[in-house]
Amino acid sequence: MATAKREHWGSTWGFIMAAAGSAIGLGNVWRFPYITGMNGGGAFVLVYLGCILLIGLPVMLAEFAMGRASQSDPIGAFKHFSPGSELISKCFSGVGLVLAALIAAFSHNFGLASIVALVSAAVWKWGFAVAGFFCSLVAMLILSYYAVIGGWILIYSWESFSGGLSFTGTAEAENLFVNIATNGWISTIGMLAYMLICGFVCFFGVKKGVELASKIMMPVLFVLILVLVVRSLTLPGANAGVQFFLAPDFNNLSVKGVLEALGHAFYSLSLGMGILITYGSYLPRDRNIFTSSLFVVLCDTLLAILAGLAIFPAVFAMGMSPEQGPSLLFKVLPCTFNSMPGSLGWLWNGMFFILMSLAALTSGISLLECGVSTLTQHTKLQRRPAVIILTVSISLVALLSAFGAASWKYLMPLKNVMERVLGSVKGSFLDELDYICSNWILPLDGLIIALFVGWVWGASKGAKELYTVRQGKDNYNDAKFLRKVFAQNISVTVWTYFVRFIAPLLVLLTFLFSAGIIKF
Ligand code: PFF
């Protein structure tokens, strides 16, 4: 049985580092600081913290609880708790079929209608296990484009030490980025290097691979960001950047900003993809999930704030303009670091891109591990062949993003298919894939997980999984222990309420907003 053979984390610290590694990624460094600056600074940070606590933490706990209780990958976890819910899944399937008919009748979008009908039919046949399959599939799909961006970051790390990033003008920065991003072959080399590292780590298993790598990479990442924060904050004129990033301005905070905070909380914690179900399934029974999750959330938020403090004071002090996404990372920051006094631009750039490489790699490792766990559990494959098969096949799919990062030149047939399903296609293949996964699929999966845990598995059963009495250590006659039990009871009640009502409602709202169905 897979359950008996399942490998476990060696320590709680290792588990926290691995889960934090998954959460801390590109979103913390290139998205959070910018949307904070644009949406009222400190006011946005306060709202973001609220979102993390209102939906991030409850859904994270739900995923960990599902994984630990079932000791399974996402498909196995959904299957494990499904008995008795056949009627509910058949109702879902019926609603899906009606929805497919409505889409076909009113929008004439037969591509989308067929997809919805197909998924509904699958739910009719396999029940909620389809949701688990969907989680693992999406994780692989996300990895296929995350690997291309991760590859660019590895190339930039190399360039910073070999003198390739020594420019101070944004025109040269633009040139270099265009040369890399529009050249499918260069992107492929970076992507393959990234996939090989992820595959190498997963090859060695949970304890000797993922856990060991995270325990080394994450502390290095924190040390690097702290050095950069100190350098950035001690520059003359740094204050303007701190003001832009953190000064609370409630006038600049709109409803749109609040929903953006909700969406980002979700993306940043790597929720809705079954990764945390997988990581939870490697947890032994005697670990307290609640405290570990709090640590993960804390690390993720702390790193996002430190990233802002490393970036904006330097950008403002050097007279550059803050931008979002790839421009900030690949164009503005190299010029900023090179303009800093002391001619050490190569060192600051090198440190920054190594830090980014570590952040991107630990997230990629978690995505690959989700697939490995699924493949080894539902086929006869052992871990090592499974890692090799997945690394090779995801790299092949990633070629689409490597060659379709800048234009559709090589992918016209795919564009036609996507236009049929999506109506219109605005960005490149990579942009579109990122948009669909982050704005549609992740919140949708998260909604399914929260509803499933809250209503199908049952929040009270889930809650039991969050705390564990440590055999021989906890004692019901001990006053300190009883106080702990009391505090746990309260937090369990709060969690139950959140996972059943508040989280699904807020996730639904975020989903409708980020998918463009409601607008503010
Ligand atoms: N949490 C990552 C970030 O903040 O960049 C993004 C991410 C990584 C999302 C891995 C999903 C994932 F599976």
Side-chain angles (χ1 to χ4, degrees):
M1 279 293 288
T3 310
K5 278 190 283 171
R6 199 158 195 83
E7 207 186 337
H8 284 138
W9 303 109
S11 63
T12 307
W13 178 244
F15 161 64
I16 293 173
M17 286 297 97
S22 173
I24 294 171
L26 305 177
N28 298 61
V29 185
W30 83 8
R31 195 150 170 259
F32 177 81
Y34 184 82
I35 50 176
T36 301
M38 294 313 291
N39 283 294
F44 179 86
V45 174
L46 284 180
V47 172
Y48 177 74
L49 290 178
C51 297
I52 286 270
L53 292 177
L54 291 185
I55 58 167
L57 191 59
V59 177
M60 177 181 269
L61 289 169
E63 287 204 30
F64 282 147
M66 272 179 84
R68 214 251 306 261
S70 65
Q71 294 284 297
S72 275
D73 71 302
I75 301 181
F78 274 97
K79 230 190 221 165
H80 185 86
F81 304 114
S82 286
S85 64
E86 288 77 10
L87 185 65
I88 310 179
S89 66
K90 296 246 178 325
C91 289
F92 265 98
S93 167
V95 172
L97 286 171
V98 173
L99 192 67
L102 288 176
I103 294 173
F106 290 103
S107 75
H108 301 290
N109 186 337
F110 296 106
L112 186 61
S114 323
I115 292 177
V116 175
L118 222 79
V119 173
S120 309
V123 173
W124 186 274
K125 171 135 179 57
W126 290 291
F128 285 111
V130 173
F133 175 76
F134 211 56
C135 285
S136 300
L137 189 72
V138 171
M140 300 304 93
L141 205 60
I142 291 189
L143 182 55
S144 79
Y145 72 81
Y146 212 78
V148 173
I149 305 172
W152 294 342
I153 290 169
L154 289 180
I155 294 173
Y156 267 69
S157 307
W158 171 265
E159 293 284 348
S160 47
F161 289 109
S162 63
L165 296 190
S166 53
F167 44 73
T168 47
T170 40
E172 292 147 290
E174 172 88 29
N175 262 346
L176 179 71
F177 181 64
V178 169
N179 282 343
I180 292 176
T182 56
N183 187 325
W185 296 109
I186 297 184
S187 296
T188 300
I189 293 172
M191 176 273 286
L192 286 177
Y194 177 91
M195 284 304 301
L196 275 176
I197 301 175
C198 293
F200 181 77
V201 171
C202 291
F203 193 79
F204 289 99
V206 176
K207 219 184 286 182
K208 293 201 182 117
V210 181
E211 179 171 353
L212 182 65
S214 311
K215 280 201 313 206
I216 298 171
M217 288 161 130
M218 296 313 286
V220 173
L221 184 148
F222 269 94
V223 170
L224 289 177
I225 194 101
L226 281 173
V227 174
L228 285 170
V229 168
V230 171
R231 171 69 279 213
S232 179
L233 286 176
T234 49
L235 287 167
N239 217 1
V242 181
Q243 288 282 324
F244 170 80
F245 180 42
L246 287 182
D249 176 3
F250 283 91
N251 293 330
N252 247 348
L253 185 66
S254 57
V255 179
K256 185 169 171 281
V258 173
L259 289 176
E260 219 166 324
L262 270 170
H264 186 68
F266 214 76
Y267 179 83
S268 186
L269 293 176
S270 302
L271 300 173
M273 223 161 338
I275 290 179
L276 304 185
I277 297 181
T278 308
Y279 276 16
S281 73
Y282 299 145
L283 267 176
R285 296 246 163 241
D286 61 349
R287 304 290 153 82
N288 184 321
I289 298 182
F290 190 78
T291 323
S292 307
S293 305
L294 272 181
F295 258 105
V296 175
V297 166
L298 195 78
C299 286
D300 185 61
T301 312
L302 186 67
L303 196 109
I305 292 176
L306 287 176
L309 287 177
I311 293 172
F312 290 121
V315 168
F316 277 79
M318 295 299 114
M320 305 274 170
S321 74
E323 288 181 57
Q324 186 182 16
S327 304
L328 175 70
L329 212 58
F330 296 114
K331 295 174 202 163
V332 178
L333 281 176
C335 298
T336 303
F337 289 132
N338 285 331
S339 327
M340 287 208 265
S343 315
L344 284 176
W346 63 273
L347 179 65
W348 306 125
N349 268 319
M351 282 172 70
F352 180 77
F353 282 106
I354 286 183
L355 146 87
M356 283 303 297
S357 303
L358 296 176
L361 281 168
T362 43
S363 297
I365 290 166
S366 72
L367 288 162
L368 184 61
E369 183 57 33
C370 182
V372 172
S373 159
T374 305
L375 203 60
T376 47
Q377 195 158 338
H378 299 281
T379 64
K380 292 208 171 81
L381 283 174
Q382 297 290 315
R383 165 175 289 270
R384 293 183 173 187
V387 170
I388 296 172
I389 290 174
L390 277 177
T391 307
V392 172
S393 36
I394 295 167
S395 302
L396 287 175
V397 179
L399 289 175
L400 295 176
S401 293
F403 282 87
S407 86
W408 286 92
K409 199 165 103 195
Y410 304 102
L411 309 174
M412 279 324 275
L414 192 61
K415 188 177 185 198
N416 293 338
V417 174
M418 284 176 81
E419 265 170 351
R420 269 204 200 152
V421 176
L422 300 173
S424 73
V425 166
K426 294 187 199 88
S428 67
F429 174 73
L430 193 150
D431 292 340
E432 287 297 320
L433 198 55
D434 178 36
Y435 172 78
I436 297 167
C437 291
S438 320
N439 293 6
W440 283 78
I441 301 181
L442 291 191
L444 191 63
D445 273 354
L447 179 65
I448 294 171
I449 290 174
L451 287 175
F452 186 82
V453 172
W455 298 94
V456 179
W457 178 23
S460 53
K461 288 193 208 121
K464 271 203 200 122
E465 198 54 46
L466 298 181
Y467 295 105
T468 352
V469 174
R470 293 165 304 166
Q471 295 298 324
K473 285 192 181 165
D474 293 335
N475 174 358
Y476 278 94
N477 295 321
D478 172 8
K480 197 169 145 219
F481 176 65
L482 288 178
R483 269 203 303 278
K484 208 166 100 187
V485 169
F486 179 69
Q488 290 180 353
N489 281 340
I490 294 187
S491 53
V492 159
T493 314
V494 173
W495 178 76
T496 308
Y497 188 71
F498 271 75
V499 86
R500 293 193 114 186
F501 302 103
I502 307 212
L505 267 176
L506 291 179
V507 179
L508 183 67
L509 198 64
T510 320
F511 170 69
L512 294 176
F513 168 73
S514 50
I517 297 168
I518 52 169
K519 294 193 175 74
F520 290 95

